[in-house]
Amino acid sequence: EAQVTQNPRYLITVTGKKLTVTCSQNMNHEYMSWYRQDPGLGLRQIYYSMNVEATDKGDVPEGYKVSRKEKRNFPLILESPSPNQTSLYFCASSSLPGGLSDTQYFGPGTRLTVL
Amino acid sequence: GENVEQHPSTLSVQEGDSAVIKCTYSDSASNYFPWYKQELGKRPQLIIDIRSNVGEKKDQRIAVTLNKTAKHFSLHITETQPEDSAVYFCAASIMDSGGYQKVTFGTGTKLQVIP
C-alpha cells in the first residue's frame, strides 16, 4: 500500500529540548516536503527536497532543519523548540515536482506541543 | 512570492444547496491550482485540480473554474451532502528558479452542511 508515515503522531515537549519528527514514504518519490498547519493560516511550507542531498527552504524555515540522506526518509529536526513551533505538521511526497501532481500524498500529521 | 487569498473562512449551507469557495492569487506565472479537502483530524486530500490552460473542470458534484485574467479560481460543490463538511484549501503552484513546482496554500474554508 502506497503511504507516507510520520512518527510520532503526538508529542509534548519542553522548550529547548531537541526533537526529530520522522517521515518515510514507500513510493520511491523524489519530491518531499514539510508543512505546518496553524488555525487561520492554512498550510505553510517549511522545507522541501527534490532528491537525496537536495533540500531548500520553504516559506517558514526558521527554527527547523531537514536532511535527505535516503530517498525514502525526510526527517524534520527542531534543534531548540520554542512554544511558537506548537503546530500540526504534515510531511508530503510526490512523484512530480512539488504540487504539480495529482499524486501528492500527505502523511497522517504530527501534533506537536512545546511548553 | 506567491500570495493566495481564500474566502470565505467559514460557510454554512443547507443540505442540497450549492457551495462556492473563492481564491485569488498574485503571481500570473502560477500554472496549477489544486483543491484539497481535510476532514476533521485527517490529512489533506486532493479532490480536484486545474491547470492554467483550462478554464473549467468538473468531476461529478464538484467543479473548479479558473479566470487567469482576473487571477482567481473557485470551487463549486453542488447538491451538498453532510459528508462534504470539512475544511477546504485552495492552492496555487509555480515553478521556481530551481525547477521545483512550489505550491502556496490558501488559509482554508470550513464548510458545514446542515442536514
Side-chain angles (χ1 to χ4, degrees), chain A residues 40-44 59, chain B residues 1-7 22-30 32-33 70-73 90-94 102-108:
Chain A
L41 297 177
L43 288 149
R44 294 179 293 167
D59 297 317
Chain B
E2 175 68 281
N3 182 49
V4 177
E5 294 189 359
Q6 182 172 349
H7 299 281
K22 299 182 179 182
C23 289
T24 60
Y25 60 99
S26 60
D27 196 327
S28 56
S30 289
Y32 174 67
F33 306 90
K71 290 188 284 188
H72 67 69
F73 56 113
C90 65
S93 182
I94 185 172
K102 191 176 182 320
V103 59
T104 302
F105 286 84
T107 51

Side-chain angles (χ1 to χ4, degrees), chain A residues 64-81:
Chain A
Y64 304 94
K65 286 175 56 177
V66 293
S67 69
R68 189 91 181 274
K69 292 184 170 55
E70 305 166 279
K71 198 171 187 179
R72 64 183 292 125
N73 297 323
F74 189 43
L76 178 70
I77 304 156
L78 284 71
E79 294 270 4
S80 182

Side-chain angles (χ1 to χ4, degrees), chain B residues 39-57:
Chain B
E39 296 176 352
L40 188 63
K42 297 193 175 179
R43 72 195 78 186
Q45 290 193 303
L46 182 78
I47 54 171
I48 195 167
D49 57 8
I50 190 167
R51 297 178 190 269
S52 59
N53 59 347
V54 175
E56 185 174 358
K57 183 177 179 181

Side-chain angles (χ1 to χ4, degrees), chain B residues 4 8 37-38 48 60 62 66 75 78 81 83-84 86-87 109 115:
Chain B
V4 177
K37 175 183 181 182
Q38 186 180 29
I48 195 167
Q60 299 182 340
I62 60 173
L66 171 65
L75 177 72
T78 58
Q81 300 168 3
E83 52 265 38
D84 294 329
V87 177
T109 296

Side-chain angles (χ1 to χ4, degrees), chain B residues 97-113:
Chain B
S97 57
Y100 179 78
Q101 195 78 22
K102 191 176 182 320
V103 59
T104 302
F105 286 84
T107 51
T109 296
K110 184 175 182 179
L111 173 65
Q112 181 185 20
V113 179

Side-chain angles (χ1 to χ4, degrees), chain B residues 7-38:
Chain B
H7 299 281
S9 57
T10 60
L11 179 60
S12 291
V13 299
Q14 293 289 331
E15 182 177 357
D17 287 350
S18 295
V20 180
I21 302 170
K22 299 182 179 182
C23 289
T24 60
Y25 60 99
S26 60
D27 196 327
S28 56
S30 289
N31 59 356
Y32 174 67
F33 306 90
W35 286 87
Y36 288 84
K37 175 183 181 182
Q38 186 180 29

